Amino acid sequence: GENVGLHLPTLSVQEGDNSIINCAYSNSASDYFIWYKQESGKGPQFIIDIRSNMDKRQGQRVTVLLNKTVKHLSLQIAATQPGDSAVYFCAENTGGFKTIFGAGTRLFVKA
Amino acid sequence: DTAVSQTPKYLVTQMGNDKSIKCEQNLGHDTMYWYKQDSKKFLKIMFSYNNKELIINETVPNRFSPKSPDKAHLNLHINSLELGDSAVYFCASSQDVGGVVGGYTFGSGTRLTVV
């Protein structure tokens, strides 16, 4: 069924530390994955994506890791800043018409 | 310049009323979507249009009716509003069908409260 991610967990990190947000997906046919960031009062914003033929992709301060064997996706944020506080969603697409979103993880950054 | 804009941002209305939410994108994208976000932040797709043609129609009550006058606009009309319709509704667009090229661009949401 459609079951991407976990129920909304919370991650609290100290400013300057690295953050790791995890996501489990259920459809082994998914071939495109995206991480979105949603700040309070705003819509989700694209952060980084990865296709199933890759294991790792890096952006600016962010890295996405994909483990297809265990159907696991993670987002790593280096040197976490207060502005990183938000809800983060993983999402998957099986090559069809729609992208399915996970339940999100709330990240708190402590100053 | 706002890429995906939706109006209104807030909508408070009584049960039984009919209301509309409008969405416009200036990105030149071919595909537009409506998502509903519940109080637990879960995002669920409702509808998708590609070049004015309906391509996704999830299990949504037929009180919800999308309309796409052109590929830059996708409006959502809701009849006979119920308490359970209270949520944040997001419009989104993508360059391709399904958002597999660069994902989606979302609007800032419309918070609908039915009292």
Side-chain angles (χ1 to χ4, degrees):
Chain A
E2 297 179 356
N3 182 24
V4 177
L6 310 170
H7 293 294
L8 190 63
T10 298
L11 175 65
S12 183
V13 300
Q14 197 70 40
E15 182 180 357
D17 288 349
N18 296 335
S19 303
I20 300 176
I21 301 171
N22 295 304
C23 175
Y25 64 94
S26 59
N27 193 336
S28 56
S30 293
D31 57 8
Y32 179 67
F33 304 87
I34 318 104
W35 280 98
Y36 288 88
K37 172 187 181 183
Q38 185 179 18
E39 297 176 272
S40 180
K42 297 182 180 180
Q45 181 181 14
F46 174 96
I47 301 174
I48 191 168
D49 59 359
I50 188 168
R51 300 199 181 274
S52 60
N53 60 354
M54 301 173 69
D55 297 324
K56 178 180 180 179
R57 189 158 188 235
Q58 288 185 292
Q60 190 174 18
R61 281 202 308 119
V62 294
T63 301
V64 55
L65 298 177
L66 175 62
N67 185 331
K68 295 180 287 295
T69 303
V70 294
K71 291 186 285 188
H72 184 268
L73 196 66
S74 69
L75 177 70
Q76 300 179 0
I77 305 174
T80 313
Q81 303 168 358
D84 295 326
S85 293
V87 176
Y88 289 81
F89 295 93
C90 65
E92 64 176 324
N93 187 291
T94 58
F97 290 163
K98 62 183 177 181
T99 293
I100 299 169
F101 284 76
T105 297
R106 188 179 298 278
L107 175 65
F108 284 112
V109 181
K110 297 178 287 186
Chain B
D1 287 344
T2 303
V4 179
S5 59
Q6 39 182 128
T7 56
K9 188 168 178 65
Y10 300 97
L11 187 51
V12 181
T13 188
Q14 291 187 325
M15 278 194 301
N17 283 351
D18 302 339
K19 290 294 179 184
S20 292
I21 307 171
K22 296 186 176 182
C23 180
E24 175 182 2
Q25 55 97 2
N26 63 5
L27 297 166
H29 288 169
D30 287 341
T31 311
M32 297 184 72
Y33 311 80
W34 278 111
Y35 274 80
K36 179 180 180 180
Q37 186 172 50
D38 63 22
S39 58
K40 296 182 180 179
K41 296 293 187 182
F42 189 70
L43 275 161
K44 185 167 175 57
I45 191 166
M46 301 172 69
F47 302 104
S48 175
Y49 273 73
N50 179 252
N51 274 321
K52 303 191 298 177
E53 298 293 326
L54 180 66
I55 57 171
I56 294 175
N57 186 354
E58 293 291 291
T59 307
V60 177
N62 57 15
R63 298 181 294 103
F64 290 78
S65 54
K67 283 186 173 55
S68 183
D70 55 62
K71 74 172 192 175
H73 295 84
L74 180 61
N75 304 321
L76 183 65
H77 188 76
I78 315 170
N79 288 327
S80 303
L81 278 154
E82 301 177 357
L83 293 177
D85 297 332
S86 296
V88 181
Y89 292 84
F90 285 100
C91 177
S93 71
S94 64
Q95 182 178 335
D96 63 295
V97 174
V100 295
V101 178
Y104 293 171
T105 301
F106 282 86
S108 57
T110 296
R111 182 175 294 276
L112 172 64
T113 303
V114 183
V115 297

